[in-house]
Amino acid sequence: MATFTVRGKNMEVTPALREYVEKRVGKVTKYFEHVGEITVLLTASKGRHIVEVTVPVDKGVILRGEEATMDMYTSIDLVVDKLERQIHKHKTKLQKRFRGGGFKSEMVAEEAGRPQTHIDESAEYTVVKTKRFAVKPMDVQEAIMQMNMINHDFFVFRDSDTEEVSVVYRRTDGNYGLIQPN
């Protein structure tokens, strides 16, 4: 059984809500042999109910989904649908990558029997442009400023404190995120 961390922001997570989250989000664990700690953040803000879910699975793969509606239970259902679409969309590529060790074999067989007309699993991802640039040492604030100056949603830079290549990005909520290597 997967372990859950369910937190509330600007709201109380009731036992009924926690149970619903664990039941619904727990559905995605049936596709994988190993699942890490599932993190769920429930936020109530200006009448919107936002659900953010992060599910670490086999081989360092992370599933992530976020949904916002006027009802918390609807947001939970929609984020589970989003996670399942991610799994279905990538299951063939993940199965090849894991060489049969990532997905539970009975779930792969069950899913193979379902019609998947809206998903083209044989699609290859095409790189249409390659860009090369110098990765300059700078701090996070300067990287965000550079990203905003070139009007991009992300910016790759070398962190002047750690000397590691990092990425800053603009989140959908208007704030900024930072990706750093382990």
Side-chain angles (χ1 to χ4, degrees), residues 6 11-22 42 72-73 76:
V6 182
M11 64 172 290
E12 178 187 347
V13 179
T14 64
L17 189 55
R18 178 180 301 275
E19 183 180 323
Y20 190 77
V21 165
E22 290 179 4
L42 308 174
M72 187 59 75
Y73 289 92
I76 293 166

Side-chain angles (χ1 to χ4, degrees), residues 2-179:
T3 59
F4 284 81
T5 298
V6 182
R7 296 182 300 127
K9 185 175 176 183
N10 301 330
M11 64 172 290
E12 178 187 347
V13 179
T14 64
L17 189 55
R18 178 180 301 275
E19 183 180 323
Y20 190 77
V21 165
E22 290 179 4
K23 179 182 174 194
R24 292 289 288 138
V25 176
K27 285 178 58 178
V28 302
T29 65
K30 69 183 179 184
Y31 296 100
F32 298 96
E33 294 292 337
H34 306 286
V35 177
E37 183 176 9
I38 299 170
T39 306
V40 180
L41 176 61
L42 308 174
T43 306
S45 175
K46 299 179 183 172
R48 292 176 29 147
H49 297 261
I50 305 162
V51 178
E52 297 176 50
V53 179
T54 305
V55 184
V57 294
D58 303 298
K59 308 284 187 187
V61 173
I62 296 176
L63 302 173
R64 186 171 189 295
E66 180 178 333
E67 284 294 335
T69 67
M70 304 308 266
D71 175 67
M72 187 59 75
Y73 289 92
T74 302
S75 295
I76 293 166
D77 291 342
L78 290 174
V79 83
V80 169
D81 291 345
K82 182 179 272 188
L83 292 171
E84 287 186 326
R85 281 194 306 274
Q86 287 178 22
I87 293 167
H88 293 295
K89 184 175 180 182
H90 297 293
K91 75 179 181 187
T92 301
K93 292 189 184 304
L94 290 174
Q95 187 178 13
K96 287 178 188 173
R97 181 176 172 190
F98 296 156
R99 293 184 175 82
F103 282 108
K104 290 183 180 175
S105 55
E106 64 271 15
M107 292 312 301
V108 172
E110 180 183 317
E111 291 300 316
R114 289 188 186 175
Q116 298 286 324
T117 56
H118 65 285
I119 298 172
D120 183 4
E121 294 176 354
S122 64
E124 290 293 321
Y125 300 106
T126 306
V127 175
V128 295
K129 185 176 182 178
T130 301
K131 231 178 187 181
R132 296 191 177 274
F133 62 96
V135 181
K136 298 179 180 177
M138 61 182 70
D139 64 20
V140 174
Q141 293 301 314
E142 184 179 353
I144 292 171
M145 184 182 71
Q146 290 289 328
M147 176 184 69
N148 288 332
M149 283 177 34
I150 61 175
N151 199 24
H152 280 185
D153 292 325
F154 69 94
F155 188 79
V156 180
F157 69 103
R158 183 174 303 279
D159 191 313
S160 57
D161 294 333
T162 65
E163 292 298 316
E164 297 284 345
V165 173
S166 300
V167 177
V168 291
Y169 62 96
R170 186 175 296 109
R171 295 172 41 97
T172 54
D173 63 6
N175 292 313
Y176 298 99
L178 175 65
I179 300 173

